[in-house]
Amino acid sequence: MGYRVVIAGATGNVGREMLSILAERQFPVDEIVALASRKSMGTEVSFGDKTLKTKDLDTFDFTGWDMALFAVGSDATKKYAPKAAAAGCVVIDNSSLYRYDSDIPLIVPEVNPEAIHSYAKKNIIANPNCSTAQMVVALKPLHDRATIKRVVVSTYQSVSGAGKEGADELWDQTKSIYNPVTDVPPNKFQKQIAFNVIPQIDVFMDSGDTKEEWKMVVETKKILDTKIKVTATCVRVPVFVGHSESINIEFEDHLDENEARDILREAPGIMVIDKREAGGYVTPVECVGDYATFISRIRQDSTIDNGINLWCVSDNLRKGAALNAVQIAELLGREVLKKG
């Protein structure tokens, strides 16, 4: 016996990826429904070798459905997630709406699977920010060994993190530079993204940090350890898919780079590709479509007593969003619902 599963926001990048990953991982589905806004109703989406026609999110009755994976943004989530939860359908939400609610677990299954048991307070589980998800997968096994004091991270985030509009803007601007007859001014991003980098993701806060940077700090503390100090600089780069991060980690105890490499090789969800030669590392182009979080450039930081530097790359539409949501669904089924 399998699960009755809802995908809300099935026509978007993340919703389509959720459907793809559920099929790839052979999630035990008895019945699945794809929901979208009224304007997208009837759009066809793929689930394995099946084609689903989207139904109207606004009028859908969640009664009798086991779980709903939401990929619709905070405004729509605020309206429909409580409705689903009240009907007894467990919501796994990809938006930022519930991540900072103390009654709602924020889960990366490789890092804090035990948090799944607190879902019942509101019948909702939050999926973390894409840049946080891959970082905590890398930090967790190292933290277990040597206790992390402080993390300094700089991100290089792809345009797909801003949705289809972000990817379209990079594509259209790139074409316009080669064909100067057309002009594509910034719209989704604050400045030209083609052949450029933009040190702003989300809005600025009073501290001078952007909201994206604040998210990485708060979410790392909630998922991994409240004592860890985190400072982040988040940058948008002209890459279509795949977020990269340069991470500097300071530990309580000494951790040799070779031991760190061995620990990461054995850790769940991680693939270490780290050869000290030209091209002996992973770039975002190479991680697209993969489940793993890739780690390269592991080396000692000689400027502090107990420091390690590493390079972390992952497909942000997968581990940063859809894959993590599906892994939460698998965890929920395995640990709580126990039907599949």
Side-chain angles (χ1 to χ4, degrees):
M1 191 165 77
Y3 297 95
R4 300 184 76 215
V5 180
V6 178
I7 305 296
T11 59
N13 286 345
V14 174
R16 290 177 186 271
E17 202 71 18
M18 285 173 172
L19 286 163
S20 174
I21 293 170
L22 284 166
E24 283 175 22
R25 292 171 74 91
Q26 299 181 320
F27 187 82
V29 170
D30 259 5
E31 188 176 354
I32 191 163
V33 63
L35 303 182
S37 63
R38 191 158 294 168
K39 67 179 181 180
S40 299
M41 196 170 62
T43 302
E44 293 187 343
V45 293
S46 297
F47 174 63
D49 56 3
K50 298 177 183 175
T51 299
L52 308 176
K53 276 194 174 182
T54 57
K55 297 182 179 180
D56 183 11
L57 173 60
D58 192 51
T59 58
F60 186 75
D61 183 2
F62 289 90
T63 305
W65 293 83
D66 295 301
M67 59 181 80
L69 280 63
F70 269 62
V72 294
S74 293
D75 290 342
T77 298
K78 190 173 184 177
K79 181 177 180 181
Y80 298 109
K83 179 180 168 184
C89 178
V90 182
V91 172
I92 300 169
D93 176 38
N94 193 62
S95 81
S96 62
L97 183 65
Y98 295 114
R99 290 174 188 160
Y100 317 109
D101 186 324
S102 59
D103 288 334
I104 291 176
L106 180 66
I107 296 178
V108 175
E110 297 94 334
V111 179
N112 61 336
E114 68 287 347
I116 196 75
H117 296 286
S118 60
Y119 84 96
K121 290 178 183 176
K122 292 192 176 177
N123 232 25
I124 297 172
I125 301 164
N127 209 23
N129 187 36
C130 48
S131 51
T132 306
Q134 69 187 72
M135 183 173 78
V136 295
V137 168
L139 295 181
K140 167 66 173 173
L142 302 177
H143 183 56
D144 286 347
R145 160 62 182 82
T147 308
I148 295 170
K149 288 172 60 177
R150 180 173 185 254
V151 175
V152 181
V153 57
S154 295
T155 71
Y156 308 78
Q157 294 178 227
S158 67
V159 294
S160 58
K164 184 178 182 297
E165 291 175 348
D168 287 348
E169 189 158 311
L170 172 57
W171 177 254
D172 292 340
Q173 278 185 356
T174 302
K175 288 192 296 182
S176 76
I177 287 168
Y178 285 107
N179 178 20
V181 175
T182 59
D183 181 39
V184 182
N187 181 36
K188 184 66 178 178
F189 301 115
Q190 302 83 8
K191 297 199 177 191
Q192 176 185 309
I193 185 60
F195 302 96
N196 199 15
V197 298
I198 303 172
Q200 178 189 350
I201 299 177
D202 214 322
V203 297
F204 278 99
M205 306 177 74
D206 290 342
S207 64
D209 291 322
T210 64
K211 189 86 175 286
E212 183 83 356
E213 292 155 357
W214 174 85
K215 288 174 188 175
M216 292 193 75
V217 174
V218 176
E219 292 176 21
T220 300
K221 288 176 177 289
K222 183 173 180 179
I223 296 167
L224 190 56
D225 191 333
T226 57
K227 300 185 190 71
I228 295 175
K229 295 178 180 178
V230 181
T231 182
T233 301
C234 294
V235 182
R236 189 73 71 190
V237 297
V239 169
F240 282 105
V241 179
H243 287 357
S244 305
E245 297 173 348
S246 171
I247 308 174
N248 174 265
I249 312 164
E250 183 179 0
F251 298 92
E252 296 277 2
D253 304 315
H254 179 72
L255 179 62
D256 177 77
E257 63 186 36
N258 293 314
E259 185 183 356
R261 195 175 288 106
D262 290 341
I263 288 169
L264 290 167
R265 280 200 176 106
E266 297 299 317
I270 289 174
M271 179 76 69
V272 174
I273 297 181
D274 188 21
K275 298 178 181 178
R276 293 182 176 176
E277 60 187 43
Y281 43 79
V282 172
T283 62
V285 167
E286 297 156 289
C287 80
V288 174
D290 208 296
Y291 291 146
T293 294
F294 291 89
I295 307 295
S296 309
R297 302 293 317 280
I298 303 163
R299 61 204 188 279
Q300 222 79 45
D301 176 3
S302 60
T303 67
I304 52 177
D305 288 339
N306 303 313
I308 292 282
N309 287 305
L310 56 84
W311 175 250
C312 175
V313 179
S314 189
D315 182 331
N316 56 291
L317 297 179
R318 292 210 149 203
K319 186 56 190 170
L323 172 62
N324 200 73
V326 172
Q327 288 176 306
I328 292 171
E330 292 170 341
L331 180 66
L332 179 71
R334 190 168 61 246
E335 297 292 323
V336 181
L337 303 181
K338 299 182 179 179
K339 281 175 65 176

